[in-house]
Amino acid sequence: MRSRERRDWRQRTALVVKDAMNRARWRYGPMPQAIVVLTAYVWNRFDEEGLVAATKPVVDGLCDAKLIDGDGTSSGHRFERRQEINRRHRGVEVVVE
């Protein structure tokens, strides 16, 4: 069940990002040394490792959409993860600079 939810979340992220890239007429390929800010709107706060694990499908979706070339330390990207308690609107907001 969890595996299917993560896979679906990853696929939805890739589709949304590809759509945004098409609307912006993005033709460049992966961004070099991007700053990715992930803001998670959660029911209860996660600890640092839990937040990284919870947002992993979103980062993988960005890789699948070819916006970034990887999520490892050698890729040069910087990931900032934030969280806010919002019990009406839960999800993840992604800003790539």
Side-chain angles (χ1 to χ4, degrees), residues 37-41 80-84 91-94:
V37 180
L38 302 159
T39 304
Y41 298 103
E80 296 179 13
R81 291 175 173 86
R82 303 173 185 163
Q83 55 184 323
E84 295 180 19
V92 179
E93 179 181 281
V94 180

Side-chain angles (χ1 to χ4, degrees), residues 78-90:
R78 190 174 82 208
F79 295 94
E80 296 179 13
R81 291 175 173 86
R82 303 173 185 163
Q83 55 184 323
E84 295 180 19
I85 294 178
N86 188 342
R87 295 186 171 146
R88 291 186 181 194
H89 172 73
R90 294 186 327 182

